[in-house]
Amino acid sequence: MGKEQMLIDVCLLAGRMMAQAGAETYRVEDTMTRMAAASGFPNSQSFVTPTVVMFHLEAMSSTHFARVNERGTDLEKIALVNSISRRMAEGEINLDEAHKMLKKLDEKSLSFPAWLQVVAAALASGSFLLMFKGTWNDYLPAAFIGGAGFIILLIAHYFSKVKLFAEFFAAFVIGGLAVLSVRLGLGRDLDLIIIASVMPLVPGVLITNAIRDLMAGHFMAGVSKGAEAFLTAFAIGAGVAVVFSFFV
């Protein structure tokens, strides 16, 4: 494999990994161009959308691309890829070493185990309830319902692979459990319990990245990410609304 093809593979791999981990569009493009510049190609071109990463090296006649099939949030992987690119730019590692490090990192799953994610969602839900000026009497119901909703989200996403359906079903379960807890006398403030319990489902990072991409001039990526965040928020609201329409 020639140097140019190796560089293209390295840049596309780094870009795809960062895009899949939820990095901002301008950060992905900057990382790819920095790595190319460090290898002696300062005029390379990159173009990134939420679903595809494209890269053109000035010495090549064709443009290469990599498909982004799955997207999530993994800030640790973003930081590690960014660190590899910076070390390459500073001359600490060469192109072959960067390729091996990226391949090894791509094979790793840095996500927290499912049980820990559920526990974190439960604690976050209870904490949000207190932040919204709820009472300690509703802390345990909110924590339990938030954790249960997150379990449903993981299960639904695993089987359906459709994010919007998973968010809708999780919000539906949260709304149903919240209504049930209030009717059984376990909780008091239905609205606060629901609001706190759905907070782990809210696409906060996606909304932030959409705004940052728009501010950086990446209008296509910013608008598409904003639309995805809007649809996710709509699915969450629709799930709760269905419960209210039948049981409240």
Side-chain angles (χ1 to χ4, degrees):
M1 183 183 298
K3 177 182 178 181
E4 291 82 3
Q5 187 59 49
M6 171 72 79
L7 178 59
I8 291 172
D9 292 344
V10 168
C11 291
L12 285 177
L13 178 59
R16 177 181 60 79
M17 290 171 60
M18 294 186 72
Q20 288 180 338
E24 306 93 318
T25 299
Y26 71 87
R27 186 186 300 276
V28 179
E29 293 183 353
D30 179 68
T31 297
M32 297 169 68
T33 53
R34 281 177 180 267
M35 296 177 77
S39 299
F41 297 92
N43 298 318
S44 62
Q45 301 291 327
S46 61
F47 181 73
V48 178
T49 70
T51 56
V52 67
V53 175
M54 290 184 282
F55 183 73
H56 176 75
L57 202 61
E58 57 197 81
M60 306 290 285
S61 59
S62 58
T63 299
H64 297 73
F65 71 93
R67 179 78 176 178
V68 181
N69 294 318
E70 296 182 2
R71 297 185 303 278
T73 302
D74 194 336
L75 301 182
E76 183 179 4
K77 181 165 286 189
I78 294 174
L80 290 175
V81 174
N82 201 54
S83 175
I84 293 173
S85 70
R86 293 299 186 270
R87 291 179 61 187
M88 183 178 171
E90 293 172 1
E92 296 181 11
I93 58 176
N94 57 34
L95 183 61
D96 185 61
E97 290 173 331
H99 186 249
K100 292 179 179 179
M101 294 173 68
L102 288 172
K103 290 288 289 184
K104 185 177 180 180
L105 180 60
D106 189 34
E107 296 172 356
K108 286 185 177 181
S109 177
L110 301 180
S111 300
F112 291 106
W115 68 267
L116 186 56
Q117 296 182 44
V118 173
V119 171
L123 294 176
S125 298
S127 301
F128 274 117
L129 180 115
L130 297 178
M131 188 180 73
F132 296 146
K133 298 182 180 181
T135 63
W136 282 98
N137 294 324
D138 291 333
Y139 181 88
L140 288 180
F144 173 80
I145 294 171
F150 200 82
I151 292 176
I152 297 300
L153 175 70
L154 295 177
I155 295 175
H157 184 63
Y158 176 80
F159 284 105
S160 70
K161 304 300 181 182
V162 179
K163 182 179 179 182
L164 295 181
F165 174 78
E167 301 255 355
F168 171 85
F169 194 57
F172 178 82
V173 171
I174 286 174
L177 290 177
V179 172
L180 182 62
S181 68
V182 171
R183 290 187 176 181
L184 293 177
L186 302 176
R188 296 183 180 179
D189 196 323
L190 177 62
D191 293 341
L192 285 183
I193 292 176
I194 292 178
I195 293 172
S197 299
V198 300
M199 287 304 292
L201 309 181
V202 174
V205 175
L206 189 61
I207 295 173
T208 302
N209 285 351
I211 295 175
R212 295 187 66 176
D213 281 337
L214 287 173
M215 294 176 64
H218 294 273
F219 298 109
M220 181 183 295
V223 171
S224 60
K225 289 181 180 179
E228 183 180 356
F230 171 79
L231 290 175
T232 300
F234 176 79
I236 295 173
V240 175
V242 169
V243 174
F244 271 51
S245 64
F246 283 102
F247 302 107
V248 178

